Amino acid sequence: MRLVLLGPPGAGKGTQSGRLEEKYHIPQLSTGDMLRAAVAAATPVGLRAKAVMDKGGLVPDDVVVGIVADRIEAPDAKKGFILDGFPRTVAQAEALAKMLRAKGMDLDAVIELRVDDAALLARIAKRAADTLASGGTVRADDNPEAFKARLDAYHAQTTPVADFYAKRALLKTVDGMAPVDAVTLAIAETLEGSSRSVGTG
Ligand code: AMP
């Protein structure tokens, strides 16, 4: 099964894709995690991405598309994957469609988590406070200024991606304001509801 999880920062994409990973035994491919690993390792990609990420902007399409193209070639992604945080622009969505088409594949579903901006701001503040309280390090882009930029980038550049998939009858929208377990259930129901088109291979 090949899935995309769409949603603004703080919507719970990471949590829900982790659960989907366990349920379907397919890897969660988070471009944010891959980019943070590249930054930590100071690779050429990481060096290119760091300043943009710290400010909450989007890393150039060619960089992110290159990372995803490599990652979906890995053996563990052969049976499927959950893309978390990609595509974030229509150009990325088109590049992904082209990549998959070249392999004779397509996406099975795109799940959009809808959460309103005020709830997101509260969630992100809580995430930073919880991380600090447990002695962890808060992400460089989890400060209010960068978060606002990430939210603006989502509205300006990623909302059109939802329309892109709606036109292709792949978009399933789930209420991301519900408690975490209820969201997981809603996603499962959505996927089962489209089980005729959602294969396991
Ligand atoms: P995330 O962990 O998904 O919130 O991503 C953290 C940051 O990584 C984003 O704010 C962007 O700067 C960058 N990033 C992650 N995925 C993408 C993407 N698909 N396109 C562009 N930038 C991305």
Side-chain angles (χ1 to χ4, degrees):
M1 175 151 51
R2 284 171 291 274
L3 301 175
V4 165
L5 230 67
L6 273 186
K13 297 187 298 294
T15 304
Q16 297 300 334
S17 25
R19 291 181 174 196
L20 287 165
E21 175 173 61
E22 274 177 29
K23 180 165 181 187
Y24 294 108
H25 309 288
I26 48 176
Q28 165 191 9
L29 310 184
S30 156
T31 43
D33 286 350
M34 292 181 224
L35 288 166
R36 279 185 288 277
V39 169
T43 65
V45 163
L47 295 174
R48 234 182 121 183
K50 187 178 182 330
V52 182
M53 289 174 74
D54 283 351
K55 286 203 204 98
L58 289 186
V59 173
D61 289 333
D62 62 323
V63 174
V64 188
V65 167
I67 294 180
V68 172
D70 287 346
R71 185 63 186 85
I72 64 173
E73 286 301 328
D76 68 335
K78 290 269 182 284
K79 278 197 339 195
F81 47 75
I82 306 138
L83 283 167
D84 161 8
F86 179 93
R88 263 178 157 94
T89 64
V90 170
Q92 292 178 16
E94 281 166 348
L96 175 64
K98 201 170 157 196
M99 257 181 245
L100 293 176
R101 212 178 308 125
K103 294 161 161 288
M105 294 173 174
D106 199 358
L107 292 170
D108 292 292
V110 175
I111 296 158
E112 179 197 27
L113 298 179
R114 279 235 175 118
V115 182
D116 70 48
D117 288 5
L120 292 171
L121 288 162
R123 276 189 192 182
I124 218 76
K126 185 174 180 314
R127 178 157 96 184
D130 288 350
T131 306
L132 279 178
S134 61
T137 311
V138 175
R139 272 172 53 170
D141 59 357
D142 266 356
N143 62 73
E145 210 172 289
F147 186 76
K148 175 80 176 41
R150 288 159 65 202
L151 209 48
D152 288 348
Y154 184 81
H155 289 309
Q157 289 173 276
T158 313
T159 304
V161 176
D163 298 338
F164 176 93
Y165 288 124
K167 281 192 196 117
R168 286 157 182 78
L170 284 168
L171 190 73
K172 322 271 176 203
T173 299
V174 166
D175 175 15
M177 302 281 286
V180 179
D181 289 343
V183 176
T184 305
L185 196 65
I187 293 175
E189 283 172 359
T190 296
L191 291 176
E192 273 144 36
S194 57
S195 58
R196 263 171 304 168
S197 60
V198 177
T200 50

